[in-house]
């Protein structure tokens, strides 16, 4: 039986962001942009969506005089990611 | 990365794998660059101190090693000034903290040993002083060997583990049995100042440079180019 996939994570860019953040403590905006290959505007929109859902924490701070955006996963985000991977398994098992 | 309405389960899995792998590689590359910089700085410092002691026969230049952590930090910041800050993962954190622990212990021990020598040489007779002397270099080699071995296990590099064990224990034995001094003494034909310059300047400098190359520069280069 197929399990429902979280629509918030079932998007290329948002899934890439969450997969990137899951293995690190926190990451800066330019790093996520470089790793995902997304544009700054699109990335900002997707980060906002994930932040509104409570999946990630976005902290706006300063690095010297330059503004710096830090993103980190929340416990809710980790749980959602785990559930997403579990749901994904059900699709792959049925197909195999 | 474009937004696509129809994302298959296979593609989702691919994205997750790609991103985790990409992140792992970026972290390994960044850690590698830091190790590479630390290795080059240590080698440069060892050569500089060796040259200074050779020409002046003044072992006070060893104190320049105390500034090494600051030099490494400064060069690292300068080289990475235009690169987005890479987050740390478990492996990167372990490697950095191993070297940090090694740095704290080594610099503290080195400062303590020098203070101890200074006090002993001013308060005790030369006979007692020569018997109670601390030889920091052999302990530093042992600590460096330990740091290289631990990092070899963390980075899953067998040759690094082997180099750490052989270099650390070998260096300790080498220094404990005064092999350097004996070898230089056998050369015999040098003047007194050249003898001191070679014994206390060039040879320890070469040993530190070799250790830095094996333990820092080489693994750094490997990780950086992976």
């Amino acid at each position: 039986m197929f399990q429902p996939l979280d629509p918030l994570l079932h998007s290329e860019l948002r899934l890439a962001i969450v997969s990137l953040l899951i293995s690190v403590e926190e990451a800066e905006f330019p790093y996520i942009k470089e790793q995902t290959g997304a544009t700054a505007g699109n990335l900002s929109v997707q980060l906002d969506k994930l932040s509104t859902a409570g999946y990630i924490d976005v902290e706006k701070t300063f690095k010297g005089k330059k503004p710096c955006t830090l993103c980190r996963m929340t416990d809710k985000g980790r749980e959602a990611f785990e559930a997403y991977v579990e749901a994904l398994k059900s699709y792959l098992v049925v197909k195999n | 990365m474009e937004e696509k309405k129809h994302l298959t389960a296979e593609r989702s899995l691919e994205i997750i794998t790609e991103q985790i792998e990409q992140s792992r590689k970026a972290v390994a590359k960044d850690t590698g660059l830091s190790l590479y910089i630390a290795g080059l700085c240590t080698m440069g410092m060892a050569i500089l101190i060796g040259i200074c002691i050779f020409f002046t026969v003044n072992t006070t230049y060893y104190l320049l090693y105390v500034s090494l952590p600051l030099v490494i930090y400064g060069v690292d910041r300068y080289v990475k000034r235009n690169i987005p800050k890479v987050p740390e993962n478990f492996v990167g954190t372990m490697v950095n903290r191993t070297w940090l622990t090694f740095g704290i212990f080594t610099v503290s021990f080195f400062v303590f040993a020098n203070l101890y020598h200074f006090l002993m040489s001013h308060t005790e007779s030369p006979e007692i002083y020569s018997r109670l002397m601390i030889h920091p270099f052999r302990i530093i080699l042992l600590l460096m060997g330990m740091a290289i071995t631990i990092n070899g296990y963390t980075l899953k590099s067998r040759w690094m583990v082997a180099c750490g064990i052989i270099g650390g224990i070998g260096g300790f034995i080498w220094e404990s049995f005064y092999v350097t001094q004996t070898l230089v003494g056998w050369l015999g034909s040098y003047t007194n100042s050249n003898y001191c310059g070679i014994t206390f300047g060039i040879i320890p400098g070469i040993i530190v440079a070799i250790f830095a190359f094996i333990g820092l520069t080489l693994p750094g280069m490997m990780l950086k180019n992976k």
Side-chain angles (χ1 to χ4, degrees):
Chain A
M1 188 69 189
F2 295 128
Q3 286 177 35
L5 290 166
D6 186 340
L8 204 65
L9 292 181
H10 200 60
S11 125
E12 280 210 24
L13 185 50
R14 287 195 293 271
L15 186 60
I17 295 167
V18 171
S19 306
L20 197 71
L21 290 176
I22 200 89
S23 57
V24 296
E25 209 173 291
E26 57 185 23
E28 289 179 9
F29 186 88
Y31 176 76
I32 303 173
K33 184 174 166 278
E34 192 184 84
Q35 293 298 311
T36 56
T39 60
N42 193 10
L43 184 60
S44 282
V45 172
Q46 305 311 326
L47 285 176
D48 270 347
K49 283 184 185 174
L50 289 169
S51 172
T52 309
Y55 287 1
I56 62 166
D57 255 346
V58 179
E59 189 188 335
K60 306 241 182 218
T61 174
F62 281 91
K63 210 172 160 185
K65 285 179 181 174
K66 286 181 185 172
C68 170
T69 305
L70 277 173
C71 304
R72 64 180 74 89
M73 287 288 280
T74 60
D75 288 340
K76 191 181 172 188
R78 279 178 211 285
E79 280 166 21
F81 184 73
E82 276 172 29
Y84 181 83
V85 173
E86 278 304 312
L88 215 55
K89 278 182 193 169
S90 70
Y91 286 83
L92 296 167
V93 168
V94 170
K95 281 194 176 180
N96 286 339
Chain B
M1 198 169 273
E2 273 177 47
E3 281 299 294
K4 282 177 188 164
K5 296 271 181 202
H6 304 291
L7 191 59
T8 61
E10 284 84 359
R11 178 68 192 131
S12 291
L13 204 65
E14 231 176 72
I15 292 171
I16 296 169
T17 317
E18 264 172 24
Q19 285 306 323
I20 292 173
E21 186 60 22
Q22 212 170 304
S23 168
R24 201 185 62 80
K25 275 185 187 165
V27 172
K29 206 174 165 183
D30 186 67
T31 306
L33 184 60
S34 292
L35 284 179
Y36 184 71
I37 291 167
L40 288 184
C41 289
T42 310
M43 286 167 75
M45 185 70 89
I47 291 165
L48 178 75
I49 292 170
I51 290 169
C52 288
I53 294 175
F54 182 75
F55 284 112
T56 62
V57 198
N58 182 359
T59 51
T60 318
Y61 283 106
Y62 276 138
L63 289 174
L64 279 175
Y65 276 120
V66 176
S67 67
L68 190 57
L70 281 177
V71 172
I72 293 171
Y73 178 75
V75 175
D76 194 77
R77 285 287 297 266
Y78 179 76
V79 171
K80 293 179 181 172
R81 69 194 183 284
N82 292 328
I83 306 170
K85 191 180 173 283
V86 176
E88 280 194 351
N89 71 357
F90 182 70
V91 172
T93 308
M94 281 301 292
V95 171
N96 287 339
R97 289 191 185 162
T98 304
W99 280 117
L100 183 71
T101 310
F102 162 78
I104 292 168
F105 275 73
T106 307
V107 171
S108 308
F109 175 68
F110 185 72
V111 170
F112 166 76
N114 277 292
L115 276 174
Y116 176 83
H117 282 178
F118 178 78
L119 289 174
M120 291 297 281
S121 62
H122 284 81
T123 55
E124 298 293 340
S125 66
E127 285 163 9
I128 296 173
Y129 171 61
S130 65
R131 260 187 265 139
L132 298 175
M133 238 173 111
I134 297 175
H135 298 277
F137 195 50
R138 67 179 76 154
I139 307 291
I140 290 172
L141 287 180
L142 200 63
L143 290 173
M144 206 163 179
M146 279 170 69
I148 294 169
T149 309
I150 294 167
N151 278 333
Y153 282 123
T154 311
L155 297 167
K156 291 179 183 167
S157 165
R158 279 186 195 172
W159 67 266
M160 213 171 141
V161 172
C163 283
I165 294 171
I166 295 166
I169 296 172
F172 179 76
I173 293 169
W174 178 283
E175 277 297 303
S176 297
F177 287 96
Y178 303 102
V179 180
T180 307
Q181 286 85 339
T182 310
L183 285 177
V184 176
W186 281 349
L187 294 174
S189 60
Y190 289 92
T191 64
N192 195 34
S193 71
N194 268 341
Y195 174 85
C196 289
I198 291 167
T199 309
F200 296 108
I202 298 252
I203 292 176
I206 291 172
I207 294 172
V208 171
I210 291 171
F211 264 74
F213 181 73
I214 296 170
L216 296 163
T217 314
L218 216 55
M221 229 153 70
M222 280 172 62
L223 282 174
K224 198 164 72 78
N225 299 328
K226 242 181 187 176

